Amino acid sequence: MNKFKQLGLGIIISFFLVLSANAGSIKIGTEGAYPPWNSKDAAGNLNGFEVDLANALCEIMKHNCTIVEQDWDGMIPALTSKKFDAIMAGMSITSERLKTINFSQGYADEVASLAVMKGSSIENINAPEGINLNIGGSDVDKALKTLTSSLSGKTVCTQIGTIHQNFLESGDVGKINLKTYKTQDEVNLDLTNGRCDVALAAAVAFTDYAEKSGKAVVLTGPTFSGGAFGNGVGVGIRKGDSKLLNEFNAAIDKARDDGIISKLAIKWFGFDASM
Amino acid sequence: MDINLMMSIFPNLLNGAVITLKLLVVSMFFGLIIGLIFAILRVNKNPIFNKFAYGYSYFFRGTPLLVQLYLIYYGLANIEFLRNSFFWVIIKEPYWCAIIAFSLNTGAYTSEILRSSFQTIKKGYIEAAQSLGVTKKITFYRIQLPIAIKQSLPAYGNEIILMLKGTSLASVITIMDLMGEARKINVLTFKPFEAFITAGIIYLFITFIIHNIVKYLEKKYRFQT
């Protein structure tokens, strides 16, 4: 066989491989880099709350599921270009994202928080324990004002394309020096290295990191929810894929009623983050 | 394809392109100095010097630029001793980390380009100089070096263009260069095609300019053998 024929055969075989990988089952995309929501173990296998939940939901829907890894910053384009059929990646339901994709009902919700290294000048911010931007009011305004003065001139780090970035750019906390990273791992690294004065992410992302790495990362200021932080985390699904959307909604109902979501949340978060 | 979106993101991308050019020019400047020093060390007869220069170029040409960037940005920052020293002022800034990584990388390639030019200089020129009683030092600086630089121009032009593309890695260490801006637009609009094709066009345009400048210089300083 000459070289040309070999090449042609190779191309044909790879076409079949691509086609067969797409047939029959649904694919769920996750980041695998945002513990405890989703992450990877030392052997490189995906694990975390959403990996367990995805498997549970697929069992209820009687679908054959594969969970695939996708970088966070390409998550929504990968869904719309049919690299997979659903997103379960700690992705909050926000109005910006709803313009491009649909979301199932929320399955879990969890607050965001600022974090600093122990001994930081803003380790203690005088603010209420938690603020909900949906409710607003004078307490929230006061807390945001305190935050604005605490964060002024500070380097604040967060993952790119997140609700946390949206919040920091919304102007609610005034002018800050914002740095965005591809993954939460890199935010954690630069926080401990001292390039970031303070970081913003899901509170559990920091507590999980502090616990596993033994670094003196501590939460500071109020916890955040509502407003730019969206309305809980749901399954992202392509617009027009209403059959799959209905199936996921029904499966989430069933999983909630059976206590599966609560059980998994307690297993991974240490508290019941289900909704 | 959303042409309106591409038009509206263009100014943001141009801001990024300015950073990209800054990174390119500064790191090519340092890289050229590093490359020249190491090329001279490479053709030096002293085995300590030329082995050291060889090791340097072997390492920086043999490992991915991304690895070098991560090593300098995250790796060095992990060393407690460096964090407490005055080096931290430099290493703390992503911009300088990128400059260090890019300069060392392009320096390695430049040293190889110059070395091969040195070694292809015809023996006759050197012998002619020697027969006229010109000292070795002057032969090197007035004859070998200018010839080597002229002969290196085409290969060096390629290196500039490769490095331009290499600077796009700066976005992974939070620098908002052309690629960084494109990635930001991608996560805000979820339209990767428009964001990256516009960035690609700007990269292509910069390449076009560099290519023509190098071509002009090649013509002007062509060395006839």
Side-chain angles (χ1 to χ4, degrees), chain B residues 40-209:
Chain B
I40 293 169
L41 291 180
R42 267 308 282 283
V43 292
N44 195 298
K45 292 261 157 41
N46 187 328
I48 297 170
F49 287 149
N50 69 44
K51 286 269 156 56
F52 171 68
Y54 179 69
Y56 162 77
S57 99
Y58 195 82
F59 176 79
F60 280 96
R61 292 186 309 141
T63 53
L65 182 52
L66 184 59
V67 171
Q68 294 159 18
L69 199 59
Y70 269 1
L71 267 178
I72 290 167
Y73 187 78
Y74 289 113
L76 292 185
N78 236 328
I79 303 169
E80 187 93 39
F81 158 74
L82 277 179
R83 270 213 309 272
N84 296 328
S85 72
F86 73 96
F87 285 116
W88 183 237
V89 182
I90 298 166
I91 300 167
K92 191 179 178 194
E93 293 306 321
Y95 178 77
W96 289 112
C97 288
I99 294 287
I100 294 170
F102 296 163
S103 302
L104 289 173
N105 185 275
T106 185
Y109 282 97
T110 309
S111 76
E112 287 299 316
I113 295 169
L114 287 170
R115 175 196 59 85
S116 69
S117 296
F118 273 126
Q119 289 173 342
T120 52
I121 295 174
K122 287 195 178 122
K123 283 241 160 60
Y125 294 114
I126 300 159
E127 284 164 1
Q130 277 168 351
S131 70
L132 290 171
V134 181
T135 62
K136 268 196 169 159
K137 212 173 175 182
I138 292 177
T139 311
F140 184 81
Y141 286 106
R142 301 300 293 270
I143 298 171
Q144 284 169 280
L145 194 60
I147 295 175
I149 290 173
K150 282 175 193 173
Q151 280 186 344
S152 301
L153 256 178
Y156 191 65
N158 277 339
E159 173 57 22
I160 300 175
I161 290 168
L162 282 174
M163 207 55 224
L164 165 70
K165 292 181 278 190
T167 59
S168 64
L169 291 174
S171 62
V172 302
I173 55 166
T174 75
I175 295 175
M176 292 312 264
D177 68 334
L178 180 46
M179 185 64 183
E181 289 289 347
R183 277 162 58 161
K184 187 178 172 187
I185 292 161
N186 170 36
V187 298
L188 290 177
T189 61
F190 315 117
K191 295 224 163 101
F193 189 74
E194 283 82 352
F196 294 122
I197 200 87
T198 317
I201 291 168
I202 298 175
Y203 275 117
L204 204 59
F205 180 72
I206 300 174
T207 304
F208 172 78
I209 305 271

Side-chain angles (χ1 to χ4, degrees), chain A residues 3-273:
Chain A
K3 280 259 163 66
F4 191 69
K5 274 187 186 160
Q6 278 182 357
L7 184 70
L9 196 65
I11 292 171
I12 292 167
I13 290 172
S14 47
F15 264 124
F16 275 114
L17 287 175
V18 171
L19 284 177
S20 62
N22 274 338
S25 62
I26 67 165
K27 275 195 186 176
I28 299 174
T30 196
E31 188 193 3
Y34 205 68
W37 286 90
N38 54 76
S39 62
K40 271 191 290 189
D41 62 18
N45 300 313
L46 289 165
N47 65 10
F49 168 68
E50 284 169 316
V51 175
D52 282 357
L53 182 62
N55 287 327
L57 293 178
C58 288
E59 213 177 290
I60 296 169
M61 296 188 291
K62 299 201 169 58
H63 272 309
N64 195 1
C65 290
T66 28
I67 302 174
V68 293
E69 224 182 304
Q70 166 67 46
D71 281 351
W72 174 257
D73 55 5
M75 196 66 79
I76 289 178
L79 176 73
T80 53
S81 59
K82 305 200 175 177
K83 294 244 159 56
F84 42 75
D85 310 293
I87 297 172
M88 290 180 76
M91 190 179 274
S92 299
I93 306 165
T94 65
S95 50
E96 286 91 1
R97 290 174 183 148
L98 279 168
K99 283 179 201 156
T100 311
I101 59 170
N102 271 337
F103 278 99
S104 73
Q105 57 172 312
Y107 51 76
D109 197 11
E110 194 261 317
V111 292
S113 173
L114 294 165
V116 292
M117 294 308 288
K118 218 173 166 54
S120 154
S121 63
I122 51 170
E123 196 181 328
N124 297 302
I125 296 176
N126 185 21
E129 216 165 89
I131 58 176
N132 185 334
L133 298 170
N134 282 343
I135 295 167
S138 62
D139 275 0
V140 169
D141 289 344
K142 217 177 115 196
L144 288 177
K145 224 174 224 164
T146 317
L147 272 176
T148 304
S149 64
S150 306
L151 296 181
S152 129
K154 295 271 190 299
T155 301
V156 188
C157 300
T158 197
Q159 190 180 4
I160 194 166
T162 55
I163 47 176
H164 313 106
Q165 185 189 1
N166 288 351
F167 171 69
L168 291 170
E169 286 184 337
S170 68
D172 275 355
V173 289
K175 252 191 132 47
I176 50 164
N177 178 15
L178 178 65
K179 279 174 86 172
T180 55
Y181 295 76
K182 214 170 144 60
T183 65
Q184 180 62 30
D185 284 343
E186 291 164 335
V187 176
N188 294 336
L189 270 177
D190 259 4
L191 179 64
T192 47
N193 284 341
R195 283 202 187 92
C196 308
D197 296 319
V198 51
L200 179 66
V204 286
F206 292 123
T207 49
D208 184 87
Y209 175 70
E211 195 181 299
K212 281 181 193 152
S213 70
K215 306 273 189 200
V217 174
V218 289
L219 300 179
T220 183
T223 59
F224 303 94
S225 57
F229 292 95
N231 300 300
V233 171
V235 184
I237 290 168
R238 270 187 299 277
K239 286 204 182 224
D241 212 348
S242 48
K243 186 174 163 273
L244 192 61
L245 182 68
N246 292 337
E247 282 179 348
F248 263 110
N249 276 332
I252 292 168
D253 277 335
K254 175 105 178 26
R256 183 185 298 119
D257 293 345
D258 293 354
I260 295 173
I261 305 182
S262 299
K263 205 185 84 204
L264 290 176
I266 290 164
K267 174 183 166 195
W268 287 100
F269 295 113
F271 59 92
D272 188 358

